[in-house]
Amino acid sequence: MAIEFSKYSARSTLRVDLSALKHNYETLKKKVGGATVAASVKADAYGLGIKPVARALYGAGCRVFFVATAGEGKILREHVGDTPSIYLLNGPASRDLRLIFGADLKPVINSLEQARLWASAADPVGSPPFSAIHIDTGMNRLGFDSDELTSLARNKKMFEKLGVDLVMSHLACAPDTSNPLNKEQLNRFRRASSQLPMKPLSLANSAGIFLGKPYHFQMVRPGIALYGGKSSSGPEASAIRSVVSLLAPVIQTRNVKAGETIGYDGLFKTERDMKVAVLAAGYADGIPISASGIGTKRAAYGTLYGKRVPIVGRVSMDLTIVDISKMEKPINAGETVEFFGEHLERDASSMETISYELLTRLGQRCRREYLTAS
Ligand SMILES: *Cc1c(COP(=O)(O)O)cnc(C)c1O
């Protein structure tokens, strides 16, 4: 008699819904009317894979991209062809100039020092290279402060050499819609940018778009909203569809008696008899160790047949254990527990992190499945 084994994968799958990604791009496009919707695709498109993501966005009409580094820009250029603008948020570094010119990238100039470097690099090239100017308006991270900006505005000769085609700033608190710093940054951006020759302006990231029309200017630069992040909980954000699910197959189930412990370091103690499922996804696949269920902290969950199954014990490198005691029907190896998806923001907060970090730390080991419109 032949023995039948159920066929299942012992490896998790990262499912990326490219049609939802396109839907989100189009939703934001409608929201901002005539403004250009650029896409922030730094860090391998927030961990989702630069090639399929950039191509899908290109297919949706996106022609302006933001990445952090020249290396990211060079890879992106190979996937989107010659037409799109690719801005480098981390600015021009002298070591990267060859790469920047070679791949026709546009550095975002964040300081006078970077402006001097870019202006002198421009000389031997002849025609001015293109770049953006970043003005700091209250985040105190990258960008010109007010004194530096005044110097730049006065030095017309240098400014000309920079080939500036965009002036931008970045919001520090946009998801917190009632934070007074939003308005303050908006006003400072208007005032500061008026010192420079008139150029297209850009202030809003994803959450900034939902702050309303005054924040849109000529270009917006969403990232997380394209990938299904809902920085605000308002009705507007509900038009954003989820894009990323981590699907972790059950590889074993077991009964655990009351008074036992589960997982490394015995951090979870069972108070009653439990049934648990061991899933083929651990911190190497993108479920952070901070998702561990150790009794005292708020539980993080996966979703199984629409029910929430709490993580119990420490997340390990390749495996995570969930409590399936409350499932009505028996659970077998091969059935899958979903993480993120619709619950990306909730999962991020119960895992003591943010959606951005969850996505950018997705593991390389998962099988990747890209869904396109059927
Ligand atoms: C990452 C980034 C963005 C995109 O931000 P989201 O919150 O993901 O929309 C836009 N602008 C700058 C300067 C960034 O660093």
Side-chain angles (χ1 to χ4, degrees):
M1 203 177 77
I3 303 170
E4 285 220 29
F5 293 99
S6 61
K7 293 196 188 79
Y8 66 89
S9 172
R11 172 161 85 130
S12 50
T13 297
L14 185 75
R15 180 179 288 162
V16 179
D17 185 345
L18 296 176
S19 56
L21 173 79
K22 282 188 172 185
H23 163 91
N24 293 340
Y25 183 83
E26 281 149 14
T27 299
L28 297 175
K29 186 119 191 96
K30 268 185 222 133
K31 172 80 193 147
V32 301
T36 299
V37 181
S40 170
V41 294
K42 55 206 188 189
D44 198 31
Y46 288 40
L48 307 194
I50 188 64
K51 182 175 172 179
V53 166
R55 290 195 173 174
L57 290 168
Y58 185 89
C62 183
R63 293 294 179 272
V64 183
F65 295 89
F66 284 82
V67 293
T69 66
E72 291 177 349
K74 179 179 187 291
I75 292 168
L76 175 60
R77 179 62 77 206
E78 288 161 15
H79 301 313
V80 294
D82 294 341
T83 331
S85 289
I86 301 176
Y87 290 98
L88 308 179
L89 290 164
N90 283 6
S94 49
R95 283 183 65 149
D96 295 334
L97 288 174
R98 206 194 259 273
L99 208 54
I100 291 173
F101 288 117
D104 192 17
L105 310 172
K106 299 179 176 185
V108 174
I109 297 170
N110 296 298
S111 65
L112 267 184
E113 191 188 342
Q114 290 180 9
R116 286 188 203 106
L117 169 70
W118 189 240
S120 65
D123 270 340
V125 177
S127 64
F130 285 105
S131 67
I133 294 291
H134 187 170
I135 303 173
D136 185 81
T137 53
M139 184 150 181
N140 286 305
R141 196 175 64 171
L142 291 177
F144 283 77
D145 65 23
S146 50
D147 290 346
E148 280 207 332
L149 188 70
T150 306
S151 307
L152 178 70
R154 286 200 186 123
N155 194 340
K156 297 217 161 47
K157 220 169 136 199
M158 179 165 76
F159 188 87
E160 282 307 311
K161 278 190 187 166
L162 301 176
V164 175
D165 66 358
L166 180 73
V167 173
M168 58 171 275
S169 186
H170 192 44
L171 296 163
C173 307
D176 178 8
T177 52
S178 60
N179 194 309
L181 187 54
N182 294 326
K183 256 238 165 85
E184 183 63 35
Q185 286 196 270
L186 176 64
N187 292 334
R188 286 183 197 163
F189 184 51
R190 284 199 180 114
R191 240 177 289 135
S193 58
S194 70
Q195 291 184 54
L196 299 174
M198 202 152 56
K199 300 288 174 191
L201 302 177
S202 175
L203 177 61
N205 61 345
S206 300
I209 292 171
F210 295 108
L211 290 175
K213 188 122 193 71
Y215 291 81
H216 298 166
F217 295 95
Q218 285 74 47
M219 187 191 292
V220 296
R221 316 181 301 270
I224 198 74
L226 297 171
Y227 313 119
K230 300 180 187 193
S231 53
S232 54
S233 51
E236 310 230 51
S238 66
I240 296 297
R241 277 171 53 190
S242 64
V243 173
V244 190
S245 292
L246 181 64
L247 304 168
V250 173
I251 49 183
Q252 185 175 356
T253 62
R254 67 192 314 123
N255 296 305
V256 186
K257 292 239 171 313
E260 299 265 318
T261 63
I262 294 175
Y264 278 126
D265 301 338
L267 288 173
F268 183 92
K269 266 205 164 57
T270 52
E271 288 171 355
R272 51 183 166 80
D273 292 356
M274 285 175 84
K275 186 153 188 102
V276 301
V278 182
L279 312 177
Y283 55 77
D285 303 289
I287 299 181
I289 192 109
S290 56
S292 300
I294 55 172
T296 51
K297 69 179 266 296
R298 186 154 60 111
Y301 296 87
T303 304
L304 179 57
Y305 296 114
K307 278 212 162 61
R308 303 212 295 170
V309 286
I311 294 175
V312 290
R314 260 183 64 174
V315 173
S316 36
M317 187 183 293
D318 318 308
L319 303 165
T320 295
I321 304 169
V322 292
D323 176 7
I324 54 166
S325 308
K326 293 200 175 130
M327 296 305 293
E328 276 142 26
K329 68 178 202 72
I331 299 302
N332 300 304
E335 292 176 80
T336 50
V337 172
E338 182 183 0
F339 293 92
F340 317 145
E342 282 297 316
H343 306 298
L344 178 63
E345 298 296 341
R346 185 196 71 192
D347 285 354
S349 101
S350 63
M351 294 173 182
E352 297 174 342
T353 177
I354 56 173
S355 51
Y356 300 75
E357 194 192 20
L358 274 185
L359 297 185
T360 53
R361 292 172 75 112
L362 287 165
Q364 292 303 312
R365 182 168 57 187
C366 313
R367 198 171 71 85
R368 291 189 171 219
E369 182 179 287
Y370 292 94
L371 305 182
T372 48
S374 49

